[in-house]
Amino acid sequence: MRRGLTATARCDGEAASFAVSGSQRIPGVGTAEKRRLLRAFAADQAGRRGCANLRLTGRARPRRPHRNP
């Protein structure tokens, strides 16, 4: 089972969750880029709302080397 990329924070004592999903078929938008975008978005939203303890969860899978036939 593939685990999604998520982020969590505490906002006024309540849990806040952020998640990213999207097609794997978009050129240039792999897992690492999605993780970077999630981190930027979650940090922005947490800062705007005065949230604390922002944490990213889920693992970025390493890219497999390209093999030529």
Side-chain angles (χ1 to χ4, degrees):
M1 177 197 299
R2 182 179 285 182
R3 186 172 176 197
L5 298 174
T6 62
T8 60
R10 297 295 293 178
C11 304
D12 288 329
E14 299 288 328
S17 297
F18 307 93
V20 66
S21 64
S23 172
Q24 296 290 358
R25 299 165 200 237
I26 300 172
V29 185
T31 302
E33 180 67 6
K34 290 177 191 175
R35 187 171 183 78
R36 187 190 71 74
L37 292 168
L38 173 62
R39 180 182 296 122
F41 177 79
D44 177 69
Q45 293 299 302
R48 290 173 187 251
R49 291 166 172 69
C51 302
N53 301 325
L54 179 63
R55 294 184 341 187
L56 266 64
T57 59
R59 284 193 346 228
R61 290 174 33 175
R63 284 190 160 185
R64 287 187 240 165
H66 178 73
R67 292 194 283 174
N68 289 328

